[in-house]
Amino acid sequence: MKLTGAEIVLECLIREGVEVMFGYPGGAILPFYDAMTKYPQIHHVLTRHEQGASHMADGYARATGKVGVAVATSGPGATNLVTGIATAMMDSSPIVCITGQVASPAIGSDAFQEVDVTGVTLPITKHSYLVYDVEDLAYIVREAFHIARTGRPGPVLIDIPKDVQNAVTEFEYPEGEIYLPGYKPPQKASAEGIQAALDLIQKAERPVILAGHGVLMSGATKEVIEFAERTQTPIALTLLGKGGVPESHPMSLGMMGMHGTGYANLAIQNADLLLAFGMRFDDRVTGNLKTYAPDAKKIHIDIDASEIHKNVRADVPIVGDLKTVLNQILPALSAVEHREWLAQIRDWMEDADERDIVHQHVTNKLLAAHVIRDMWAATQGNAIVVTDVGQHQMWEAQYYPHERPHTLITSGGLGTMGFGLPAAIGAAMGLKTNNVWCIAGDGGFQMTMSELATAVQERVPVKIAIVNNGYLGMVRQWQEFFYEERYNATPMITPDFVKLADAYGIPARRITQREDVIPAMEWADSVTDGPVLLEFVVEKHDIVYPMVPAGADLHNMIRRPVPSPDGL
Amino acid sequence: MTNGNANDKQTLVALVENRPGVLNRVASLFRRRNFNIDSLTVGRTENPEISRMTIVVDHDAEKVGNQLSKLVNVIEVQEVTDVPNVSRDLALIKVAVESSQARGEIVQLCDIFRAHIVDAGPDAMIIEITGDEQKISSMVELLRPLGIKELVRTGVVTMTRGDHVLAPDEFQMRSVKRTNGHRASVV
């Protein structure tokens, strides 16, 4: 069958199971957009900016576990994808980006809308292709999807010159195994590695599991719980690890790190064994590396060998798929008890409970943490929450416990403001559910709020909660603590979000009192045909506690003061 | 002497796919991760689809190797710093010839170092010398008083001793025409 390059790409996308792609047309990708008209089985979502397309593909991928696809034209279209690609890279999210390129004879001539996008994205993709020959397209698309979704997942870019999209060749789908001699994602651990780990585990008296994104990526929830129960080992979660094990589990310590629970951090600092499961010791979870878990031996299990010893020296390094490795360990793992250790942790928990904001009876002020807690109550903890980045994100992590994998979608590694709304649209489209809540701050929301139009055009039933404090709250918090309250460039004017929603034809309400939170949530839940928006006007001067200042020792947290009877 | 590197230098050998852009990927990785390259050489191997790199860094070789292995176009990486190996560097050195006495000295030095005079003019000679880094450095120091006009070195290439070979597992030629700029023969 003779097909054009553009048609070949679409044929391959169909075989990869792609049902939806997110993109924005332009000159150099027009052959591909024209060919789409012959392939109605793939739905194309027109975003309002290419950044929206890459975040939507990312949100779709994180929610569904499938590869997300973003499409853009050459030059400015391609560069607009960059933030979304970097976000996906940092959080190991499988996306494939297809970009148009100027015709191959013009490459390198500074042609109109030409940019070397493979060069630009080299450090932020798992792999990338510039296709010079239409004969290679089918193989490249297959390889790209394989690379994106296997091993440590990540973004792959395929840059296709316009003439290659137009070139015609005989299409035959390349069956058989993909042969990539330099690409060998590890699976199993060596017997020696397993034995060394078992030796440390059996000797430990104060062990802590650090559960990261790898728990979700490898689907190892059951194995981690079994491990924790049999060895009575508490589990601290990274931000992206949330949902990996149910937070209602008696062994759960909630989130660790900069804004983690005090007791998780204290447990880590006092541990004699850390079991790092699919996490990478990011500086936001370790604090000062010199004083990090000083008495603990470390067992590090990760699919990416380059994460081992990168930040923290592992006593037992194991490179492999977490679920596979845990299934190697579990049969040999005998039951252990750690009564004293768990009792100690319970004491730390009680102290934290006393300081907890949910017990603070505040007068007439609406606190963001209360909003999040009420959202959790109203959704019975069952929503798929997509957050933006900032204070609201950390409050979400603290006050919205997640019970199931892939129910919290958030930009962790890159901390990308503007991620929330487009990622939520991608997630809602992938899951085909009206149970996706986007929680955004007023700052991040304004970065990509043009995607409201996309949500309306696609009738995506995404529920948007803007937590508006009139500030870039997290930056403001740093200015308060570390820059002597010089609030430079953090107070922020916002549009009337309810009117803005109205302009898009989106039903919306503004909430200023705590008693209105749950009724507003119930109202939002009744809107199922397209997006709905709630604006929560919250206390301006609130702080995310506890906080480990950047680079400080993990146990030296700034704690929320124990409340006095007069409130804040 | 099996290894011409100073103690803090680490040597890695990498087999990579022979196609455009691969060197760029490796160099870009080094830049991004802030690894300082002491020497990087690349050339073809007995297999036209595979190029071989010798990389000398003053950085933790394990970290460098793990990062390199992540690149899809990198087939195999081995750290050879502590493996008995032969390391060679080639230098072309243009030296001033200001007198017949100088000419005599140069010829004599070349003899001692088993270097070759590959060009001789009335005022300058080009000397080709091959060896480990220290041998070349010694030669350079001895020639310096005579007046070095120009010097170029290739960087280090390394091969481990004995019958050990760095070879990819089950590598086969790709059976299709491949681009990314590169076309391999069909087998």
Side-chain angles (χ1 to χ4, degrees):
Chain A
M1 178 171 41
K2 292 263 189 205
L3 293 180
T4 66
E7 289 163 347
I8 288 170
V9 174
L10 285 154
E11 290 281 349
C12 292
L13 293 184
I14 288 165
R15 285 167 176 81
E16 294 296 338
V18 175
E19 292 168 341
V20 60
M21 53 191 170
F22 307 92
Y24 204 104
I29 194 75
L30 269 179
F32 185 63
Y33 273 81
D34 190 51
M36 275 179 209
T37 57
K38 295 180 202 155
Y39 296 89
Q41 56 271 61
I42 304 183
H43 177 60
H44 177 269
V45 176
L46 174 66
T47 64
R48 292 302 178 271
H49 187 283
E50 290 86 352
Q51 184 184 353
S54 48
H55 288 324
M56 281 180 211
D58 187 349
Y60 173 93
R62 296 193 206 204
T64 62
K66 295 192 264 186
V67 177
V69 178
V71 186
T73 191
S74 63
T79 53
N80 280 346
L81 291 174
V82 166
T83 304
I85 297 174
T87 305
M89 184 69 176
M90 287 290 265
D91 289 348
S92 311
S93 183
I95 66 171
V96 168
C97 295
I98 297 168
T99 49
Q101 181 55 276
V102 301
S104 47
I107 289 177
S109 70
D110 300 324
F112 177 67
Q113 292 195 330
E114 183 190 356
V115 75
D116 170 18
V117 68
T118 43
V120 167
T121 58
L122 205 60
I124 52 166
T125 47
K126 189 174 171 188
H127 195 56
S128 55
Y129 298 88
L130 168 56
V131 188
Y132 276 112
D133 191 330
V134 68
E135 302 285 336
D136 295 323
L137 256 178
Y139 285 90
I140 284 172
V141 175
R142 267 202 83 193
E143 277 182 14
F145 275 80
H146 175 71
I147 291 169
R149 66 162 76 95
T150 53
R152 180 180 184 165
V156 179
L157 181 132
I158 311 173
D159 196 29
I160 315 174
K162 196 171 184 180
D163 55 319
V164 177
Q165 295 172 49
N166 282 325
V168 174
T169 190
E170 188 66 29
F171 172 67
E172 195 185 337
Y173 184 68
E175 303 284 352
E177 266 187 44
I178 292 166
Y179 178 63
L180 282 166
Y183 182 69
K184 291 156 268 185
Q187 293 298 324
K188 280 180 81 167
S190 68
E192 302 83 68
I194 299 295
Q195 193 52 51
L198 283 166
D199 290 348
L200 283 186
I201 293 162
Q202 304 292 4
K203 266 190 270 174
E205 288 175 1
R206 301 185 309 280
V208 178
I209 291 169
L210 312 177
H213 202 192
V215 177
L216 289 88
M217 300 302 267
S218 77
T221 297
K222 190 173 107 340
E223 287 77 8
V224 176
I225 293 174
E226 196 179 331
F227 186 105
E229 286 176 352
R230 204 181 304 165
T231 57
Q232 292 292 293
T233 303
I235 307 164
L237 304 164
T238 68
L239 175 62
L240 293 190
K242 271 177 72 80
V245 289
E247 284 176 76
S248 61
H249 193 279
M251 285 297 147
S252 171
L253 300 176
M255 188 171 68
M256 66 178 104
M258 182 176 275
H259 296 295
T261 63
Y263 42 90
N265 289 348
L266 286 171
I268 290 165
Q269 290 301 77
N270 287 281
D272 67 353
L273 177 66
L274 293 184
L275 296 131
F277 289 171
M279 57 83 76
R280 59 190 180 88
F281 293 106
D282 180 81
D283 55 284
R284 286 296 191 262
V285 310
T286 63
N288 182 359
L289 284 171
K290 288 197 179 74
T291 57
Y292 181 67
D295 302 330
K297 298 271 186 195
K298 283 110 185 165
I299 299 173
H300 192 176
I301 307 174
D302 202 287
I303 197 157
D304 183 351
S306 72
E307 291 299 346
I308 308 281
H309 308 318
K310 187 182 83 178
N311 297 333
V312 167
R313 191 92 207 154
D315 297 279
V316 176
I318 297 180
V319 179
D321 169 69
L322 182 64
K323 187 186 174 101
T324 311
V325 173
L326 286 178
N327 277 314
Q328 289 177 270
I329 293 177
L330 283 169
L333 196 63
S334 40
V336 208
E337 294 210 340
H338 299 293
R339 283 173 202 280
E340 262 180 63
W341 177 228
L342 295 177
Q344 167 70 72
I345 290 172
R346 262 192 301 278
D347 282 352
W348 288 327
M349 279 181 174
E350 279 162 26
D351 175 56
D353 206 32
E354 192 184 351
R355 295 162 189 267
D356 198 318
I357 197 168
V358 295
H359 301 303
Q360 303 216 2
H361 299 290
V362 182
T363 51
N364 56 352
K365 287 170 179 160
L366 183 61
L367 295 187
H370 286 149
V371 172
I372 304 280
R373 180 46 64 105
D374 290 352
M375 290 181 80
W376 171 74
T379 57
Q380 297 172 317
N382 279 323
I384 289 89
V385 181
V386 183
T387 79
D388 210 87
V389 168
Q391 284 185 317
H392 69 278
Q393 178 191 28
M394 292 299 114
W395 279 314
E396 201 286 345
Q398 294 176 337
Y399 295 105
Y400 197 111
H402 287 267
E403 298 295 296
R404 288 176 292 117
H406 312 295
T407 56
L408 171 61
I409 294 169
T410 192
S411 168
L414 200 67
T416 311
M417 286 177 72
F419 173 80
L421 176 61
I425 293 171
M429 293 201 73
L431 295 171
K432 300 184 179 72
T433 167
N434 54 16
N435 196 25
V436 173
W437 277 89
C438 166
I439 306 179
D442 47 312
F445 185 74
Q446 288 185 77
M447 283 192 174
T448 51
M449 66 187 179
S450 53
E451 300 305 337
L452 285 172
T454 307
V456 172
Q457 187 164 348
E458 296 291 332
R459 301 165 87 91
V460 187
V462 62
K463 303 188 187 330
I464 302 156
I466 302 173
V467 179
N468 186 355
N469 66 353
Y471 271 105
L472 296 177
M474 189 57 93
V475 188
R476 182 193 180 282
Q477 173 166 338
W478 283 55
Q479 289 173 331
E480 180 169 334
F481 282 158
F482 313 118
Y483 296 88
E484 297 169 337
E485 303 183 25
R486 288 185 294 276
Y487 299 126
N488 183 30
T490 44
M492 184 178 235
I493 291 272
T494 57
D496 180 328
F497 287 118
V498 175
K499 276 191 187 164
L500 178 82
D502 190 44
Y504 284 103
I506 297 172
R509 281 190 189 175
R510 180 176 295 114
I511 298 95
T512 56
Q513 305 282 329
R514 187 165 183 191
E515 65 256 30
D516 297 333
V517 174
I518 289 183
M521 295 283 298
E522 284 164 356
W523 168 76
D525 219 33
S526 70
V527 180
T528 53
D529 182 26
V532 56
L533 186 146
L534 301 177
E535 180 192 5
F536 296 97
V537 181
V538 300
E539 168 59 28
K540 284 179 179 304
H541 302 147
D542 205 359
I543 299 281
V544 182
Y545 288 110
M547 179 181 190
V548 181
D553 308 333
L554 194 57
H555 52 277
N556 284 333
M557 290 163 285
I558 305 173
R559 307 291 302 273
R560 183 178 289 277
V562 178
S564 65
D566 1 313
L568 267 182
Chain B
M1 176 114 201
T2 56
N3 191 334
N5 301 323
N7 288 338
D8 55 343
K9 301 279 171 62
Q10 312 260 308
T11 307
L12 298 116
V13 177
L15 299 180
V16 304
E17 292 185 80
N18 175 20
R19 46 174 78 193
V22 176
L23 179 60
N24 183 22
R25 281 178 200 278
V26 171
S28 165
L29 168 81
F30 280 49
R31 179 193 50 76
R32 179 165 92 82
R33 296 281 175 185
N34 203 20
F35 300 150
N36 188 33
I37 303 172
D38 203 68
S39 161
L40 189 157
T41 56
V42 56
R44 292 200 184 161
T45 64
E46 74 287 359
N47 182 335
E49 286 238 316
I50 300 178
S51 293
R52 178 167 165 139
M53 292 182 179
T54 304
I55 303 159
V56 184
V57 289
D58 52 6
H59 200 92
D60 181 346
E62 188 182 352
K63 280 190 187 181
V64 176
N66 281 337
Q67 291 292 342
L68 271 175
S69 300
K70 272 171 82 166
L71 297 179
V72 171
N73 300 120
V74 173
I75 300 162
E76 288 289 338
V77 184
Q78 194 189 355
E79 190 197 338
V80 297
T81 316
D82 299 322
V83 183
N85 64 59
V86 178
S87 285
R88 290 291 180 268
D89 191 351
L90 182 143
L92 293 177
I93 310 165
K94 189 178 286 178
V95 201
V97 180
E98 280 168 356
S99 62
S100 54
Q101 191 200 342
R103 189 179 300 272
E105 269 182 56
I106 293 165
V107 171
Q108 209 176 6
L109 274 174
C110 287
D111 200 33
I112 295 167
F113 280 88
R114 277 181 285 169
H116 302 286
I117 295 164
V118 290
D119 183 59
D123 306 317
M125 287 171 134
I126 299 178
I127 296 157
E128 176 199 312
I129 176 167
T130 312
D132 65 36
E133 282 199 286
Q134 275 194 349
K135 176 180 166 185
I136 293 173
S137 299
S138 307
M139 178 75 168
V140 167
E141 287 318 306
L142 289 167
L143 288 172
R144 202 180 289 283
L146 296 165
I148 294 175
K149 294 160 96 65
E150 208 175 355
L151 187 150
V152 58
R153 291 171 75 152
T154 57
V156 181
V157 290
T158 300
M159 192 175 268
T160 57
R161 290 175 183 270
D163 62 357
H164 169 81
V165 287
L166 178 63
D169 313 334
E170 305 159 24
F171 187 84
Q172 60 196 44
M173 302 275 274
R174 298 232 203 194
S175 58
V176 284
K177 191 161 74 160
R178 301 287 317 188
T179 63
N180 253 359
H182 171 68
R183 286 168 203 358
S185 54
V186 176
V187 281

